[in-house]
């Protein structure tokens, strides 16, 4: 299986999907323990949730699971949230802090996985961002994520439904951040936060260079917004998704217009 799937469009928006993949090579799956093999920390069904919401949007999707290697972590393994519980380039625990490996990978294997999976994903993403930027003079990376709404190991209480991350306002123009926040705020059925527990992963921080016309926003959705239950088998809820998708569509369609206003 190829480590990355790309659909090329001519919209100024590129959708990044680093955590929806569930492929784990058999030799790696055999080394995960029973808890790890559940793959609980997947961004379940996010590619389905966003499918068709914005015509001609480019999508770049990792097919591999984050337990193989995490495409939203820096390749040097530096922590994105120093002093806070988190998971690394190759997670050793799940989001609840429990071990997931019978035989965890050593540094040499992590380097090999980085070359085989992490690097191709980011090469594809970087190429598409450059291509779209060349088309329009500007590009917005909208990084699509989801996570369980209650994970005491990572955060207190219940996570808001919409978690907008802009690296504390540094990864995109203020107009893009403000438009996203405004739409989330008026969606009264949902809660939201800007640069809360999730300020944007390595992808958002790395590619967001507004002064050069490269903008990036991470949207971390609470999985309670679109799953039947945040437990196995993590089924997609058509009913919940039908309520959520119009809000996401409004965000993407608005950003599609707003980002073009930033063309020099």
């Amino acid at each position: 299986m190829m480590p990355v799937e790309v659909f090329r469009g001519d919209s100024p928006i590129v959708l990044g999907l680093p955590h929806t993949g569930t492929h784990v090579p058999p030799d790696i799956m055999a080394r995960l323990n029973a808890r790890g093999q559940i793959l609980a920390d997947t961004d379940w069904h996010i590619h389905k949730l966003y499918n068709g919401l914005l015509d001609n949007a480019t999508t770049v999707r990792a097919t591999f699971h984050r337990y193989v290697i995490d495409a939203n972590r820096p390749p040097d393994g530096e922590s994105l949230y120093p002093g806070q519980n988190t998971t690394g380039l190759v997670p050793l625990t799940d989001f609840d802090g429990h071990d997931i490996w019978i035989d965890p990978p050593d540094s040499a294997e992590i380097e090999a996985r980085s070359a085989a999976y992490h690097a191709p994903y980011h090469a594809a993403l970087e190429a598409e961002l450059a291509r779209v930027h060349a088309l329009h003079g500007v590009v917005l990376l909208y990084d699509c994520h989801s996570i369980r709404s209650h994970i005491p190991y990572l955060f207190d209480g219940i996570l808001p439904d919409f978690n907008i991350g802009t690296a504390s306002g540094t990864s995109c123009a203020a107009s893009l951040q403000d438009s996203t926040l405004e739409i989330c705020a008026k969606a009264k059925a949902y809660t939201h936060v800007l640069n809360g527990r999730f300020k944007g992963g390595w992808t958002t921080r790395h590619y967001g260079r507004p002064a050069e016309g490269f903008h990036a926003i991470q949207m971390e959705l609470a999985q309670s917004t679109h799953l039947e239950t945040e437990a196995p088998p993590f089924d997609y809820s058509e009913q919940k998704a039908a309520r959520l998708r119009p809000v996401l569509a409004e965000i993407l369609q608005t950003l599609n217009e707003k980002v073009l206003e930033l063309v020099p």
Side-chain angles (χ1 to χ4, degrees), residues 138-152:
V138 67
V139 62
L140 170 63
L141 169 61
Y142 182 98
D143 217 36
C144 309
H145 295 262
S146 74
I147 193 169
R148 285 179 286 138
S149 60
H150 180 62
I151 308 178

Side-chain angles (χ1 to χ4, degrees), residues 8-255:
R8 292 183 177 90
D10 57 12
S11 158
I13 291 184
V14 174
L15 302 180
L17 299 156
H19 289 155
T20 71
T22 55
H23 176 65
V24 180
D27 60 319
I28 297 178
M29 182 67 84
R31 294 163 57 191
L32 288 166
N33 63 26
R35 188 177 186 96
Q37 290 181 2
I38 296 171
L39 307 181
D41 300 333
T42 308
D43 289 16
W44 295 104
H45 310 295
I46 281 292
H47 54 298
K48 180 177 181 178
L49 183 67
Y50 278 94
N51 185 46
L53 293 184
L54 181 65
D55 290 340
N56 294 320
T58 295
T59 60
V60 181
R61 177 178 180 255
T63 60
F64 54 91
H65 194 264
R66 69 190 304 159
Y67 291 171
V68 177
I69 197 162
D70 193 328
N72 199 33
R73 295 292 183 271
D76 63 4
E78 182 180 358
S79 177
L80 293 172
Y81 296 98
Q84 295 178 280
N85 288 336
T86 187
T87 54
L89 183 59
V90 172
L92 299 180
T93 70
D94 62 14
F95 287 165
D96 296 306
H98 299 294
D99 291 339
I100 58 173
W101 295 98
I102 299 169
D103 179 21
D106 59 19
S107 58
E109 183 177 354
I110 292 173
E111 185 175 348
R113 291 189 198 179
S114 185
Y117 298 97
H118 191 283
Y121 174 78
H122 283 283
L125 183 58
E126 187 168 3
E128 292 310 309
L129 291 171
R131 181 185 64 83
V132 173
H133 186 275
L135 283 176
H136 298 285
V138 67
V139 62
L140 170 63
L141 169 61
Y142 182 98
D143 217 36
C144 309
H145 295 262
S146 74
I147 193 169
R148 285 179 286 138
S149 60
H150 180 62
I151 308 178
Y153 181 72
L154 296 184
F155 51 82
D156 295 331
I158 302 298
L159 194 70
D161 298 318
F162 293 103
N163 298 265
I164 307 161
T166 63
S168 300
T170 65
S171 68
C172 70
S175 61
L176 303 180
Q177 174 181 279
D178 294 347
S179 293
T180 305
L181 182 61
E182 180 180 353
I183 295 167
C184 292
K186 75 177 185 181
K188 298 303 183 184
Y190 300 100
T191 55
H192 68 279
V193 68
L194 172 64
N195 292 312
R197 174 61 178 86
F198 299 101
K199 294 178 172 61
W202 184 71
T203 304
T204 303
R205 304 180 199 194
H206 180 68
Y207 294 106
R209 305 187 303 277
E212 301 172 32
F214 291 82
H215 302 266
I217 293 175
Q218 176 176 301
M219 179 63 78
E220 187 89 54
L221 296 170
Q223 290 180 345
S224 56
T225 62
H226 57 282
L227 297 188
E228 293 287 359
T229 177
E230 297 182 325
F234 303 105
D235 286 337
Y236 185 78
S237 170
E238 296 288 354
Q239 184 177 15
K240 289 181 179 180
R243 292 195 298 268
L244 178 61
R245 277 170 54 86
V247 182
L248 297 174
E250 183 179 1
I251 291 171
L252 292 179
Q253 290 161 14
T254 300
L255 292 174

